Each structure stands twice: as structure tokens, then as C-alpha cells.
Amino acid sequence: MKKIFEKVVTITLGVISLFFVIMMLVTAFGGLELSDFDNSIVRALLICLAVIFAVLTGLAVFAAFQDNEKLSSVVLFKNKESATKATVAVVKRTAKRVVKEIPEAKLTKVQIVADDNGNVRLKVDVKLATDATMEVVTKVRALLIDTFANVFGIEFASIDFRIVKSKNSYVPSAAAVDQRVAELKATVEINKPEEVAEAAEAEAAEAPAEIAEDTIGIIPSGGDAEVDEASGSDAPVANSANAAEEPAAEAEEAEEASEEEAAEEGEEAAEEAATEEAEAPVTEAAEETAVDADEEDK
């Protein structure tokens, strides 16, 4: 049927296209004048041909993109003298009768389709009234395969189901939803710039290890060590100031420690030099005494 339709459309389009081409050539070479088209009949004819051409072009494009062809009947068996076919109505009634055995399913539409390779397929629209979709559809498919194999002796290349309506009552539990949410969160990757992520990690690493120390207030150097409980509301301000001054204080302590170490090393060097100068005259005097004693012995 599809091939016949395509042939008719192709021939009609060719005739109309040839007519328009000839009319354009005749007009271009002076055979027709513009005044010849100033007629209601001619205009109506041209408009009708243009509309027919546009409609047939659309149908040709639509048919070209259709991979399947609906059949009105399917061949059951044949020989050299005869052939036996079953119409779509017979196939549809048989399929509906078999599926009535399953209360959860109901067939609404049955089509027999052939592709370009000649494979015949059965397309079925079904309504379901259950939550177990896979089990019911598989059971319907098994019934159709067994019925058509034993009644008509045919086997379709495939049976395609399309669920047009489903009455289900499944409601997931809160625990199952929470578990699924946790699993999905674990697989989510946050699209955050690398610089922002590195800065956040650095801030987390530099955070104080003991948060309890932040609750201690600042005690003035010239005041008493006692802390009034009534001034507890001012503690966060003092803590924030103390936290801000801690890096500067640590830097100053490090510089003072380095300066003290340098001063101590300088003092130790000066003491060693003074000790060596003090010991030098004593050594020289002892050596002169020993030389004098040797000369007297001689």
C-alpha cells in the first residue's frame, strides 16, 4: 500500500512540475503575455495546481520518513495454488479475547506493520490497572505468542506494546525516599570554581582547633584577675579583638625571640674573647719563667 501511494504521488508531482516548467519557459520566450493570465479561470487553475503540488509534496516527505507500513491483512499460509490471509479485524478480536483472561490488562488498538525487510510486527496499545507493569506485559506477550502460533500458525517478528493508560497505586515510603536521597547526594558533584574551593579548604585548615579558648575574655594588664559575670555579654567582642590580634602578637614574639637569641650569641662571643685575652699574659709569663729556670740550671 505504501509503495502504491508513493508511486501515485511521485507521478502526480512530476506532471504538475512539468506543467509549471513548460508554462514558465513559454512565458520567458514571449509565447505568453502577462495579459493572458488576467483571467479568473486561469488564476483559479494555477492556484489549484499550486495547492495540490504543496499537499502532495508534504505527503511525499511524510511517507519518505515512515519506516513501517500498516497492513490490512497478514498471510497465514500459502502454496502455488492459493494463499490464506487473516485481516486485522480477526487478529484484533483474537488478541482481545485472549487478553480478557488478565483482568489487569486491556487491549485498545492492534496493528499489523511490515518494515522494508518484509518482517511483520504486531503493535498493541494496552491499558494497565496494576503496579506490576513488567509482569503483566510479559504475561500478555506470552499469551499472544502462544495463541497466534496455535490458532493461525504465524509468528510475528516482534510484538511492540504501548501503554496508553496505567492505574497504579504505588506510594514510596519515607524511609526509602530518604535513603535514595542520600545515595543521590553522594553522587552529586558541586560545580564550584577551584579558587573558591581551595580558599574554603585553607580557611577550614587554619580554623582554631579548640573553640573553647575563644570564650576566655581579655584581662587588662593593670587590673585584677577577677572577671565579673555581669560583663559576660561583652566577651564575644573581646574574643574577636583577641582573635584578630593573635597573629600580630605571635609575629612580634617571634621577632623578639630571634633578637634575644642574636644578643645572647653576641654576649657569649665577647665573653670567650675576653677569657682568651686574660689567659694569654699568664701563659706567656709561665713560659718566660720556665726559660729562666733552664738557663740558671745550665
Side-chain angles (χ1 to χ4, degrees):
M1 184 67 182
K2 179 182 177 182
K3 293 181 179 180
I4 296 174
F5 173 76
E6 289 179 350
K7 291 178 181 179
V8 172
V9 170
T10 303
I11 294 172
T12 307
L13 287 175
V15 172
I16 296 175
S17 301
L18 183 62
F19 173 78
F20 278 110
V21 170
I22 292 173
M23 186 178 62
M24 184 182 65
L25 291 175
V26 172
T27 304
F29 287 100
L32 294 174
E33 300 293 338
L34 293 177
S35 59
D36 297 334
F37 295 99
D38 191 9
N39 191 339
S40 60
I41 298 176
V42 175
R43 290 179 178 179
L45 179 61
L46 293 177
I47 291 172
C48 291
L49 291 176
V51 171
I52 294 172
F53 183 84
V55 172
L56 292 178
T57 303
L59 292 176
V61 173
F62 177 77
F65 286 95
Q66 290 293 320
D67 297 332
N68 301 323
E69 180 182 0
K70 295 181 182 179
L71 301 177
S72 59
S73 61
V74 58
V75 177
L76 302 181
F77 50 88
K78 64 179 181 178
N79 52 27
K80 294 182 180 180
E81 291 80 14
S82 64
T84 303
K85 298 181 180 180
T87 63
V88 177
V90 173
V91 174
K92 184 176 182 179
R93 285 195 296 268
T94 304
K96 286 186 175 182
R97 178 185 60 81
V98 175
V99 177
K100 283 183 180 179
E101 301 295 330
I102 305 175
E104 297 87 359
K106 181 180 179 181
L107 299 184
T108 59
K109 188 177 181 180
V110 178
Q111 294 179 352
I112 301 175
V113 179
D115 56 14
D116 295 335
N117 297 325
N119 298 321
V120 179
R121 297 188 295 139
L122 187 67
K123 298 179 68 176
V124 179
D125 292 351
V126 60
K127 293 182 179 180
L128 299 179
T130 179
D131 295 338
T133 301
M134 184 181 296
E135 289 77 5
V136 174
V137 171
T138 305
K139 188 175 181 180
V140 172
R141 182 186 177 195
L143 286 175
L144 294 176
I145 292 173
D146 186 72
T147 300
F148 286 110
N150 290 281
V151 175
F152 299 109
I154 60 175
E155 182 178 355
F156 295 102
S158 64
I159 300 178
D160 301 331
F161 291 90
R162 186 176 65 174
I163 300 174
V164 296
K165 188 176 181 180
S166 177
K167 294 181 180 180
N168 51 71
S169 59
Y170 173 76
V171 177
S173 61
V177 173
D178 294 338
Q179 183 179 0
R180 183 67 63 181
V181 169
E183 294 176 357
L184 294 176
K185 284 184 177 180
T187 59
V188 172
E189 295 182 0
I190 299 176
N191 187 11
K192 184 183 294 186
E194 296 181 358
E195 296 179 357
V196 177
E198 293 177 357
E201 293 178 358
E203 291 179 357
E206 293 177 357
E210 296 180 359
I211 303 175
E213 294 180 355
D214 293 340
T215 59
I216 302 174
I218 300 175
I219 300 174
S221 59
D224 297 333
E226 296 180 358
V227 179
D228 190 7
E229 294 179 357
S231 62
S233 60
D234 297 333
V237 178
N239 292 335
S240 61
N242 188 16
E245 294 177 358
E246 284 181 359
E250 292 178 357
E252 292 177 358
E253 291 178 359
E255 292 178 357
E256 293 177 357
S258 60
E259 292 177 357
E260 292 176 357
E261 291 177 358
E264 290 177 358
E265 291 177 357
E267 292 177 358
E268 291 177 358
E271 291 177 357
E272 291 177 357
T275 303
E276 290 176 357
E277 292 176 358
E279 292 177 355
V282 176
T283 304
E284 292 176 357
E287 289 177 355
E288 291 176 355
T289 305
V291 170
D292 296 334
D294 292 338
E295 290 177 355
E296 287 176 359
D297 292 337
K298 291 178 180 182

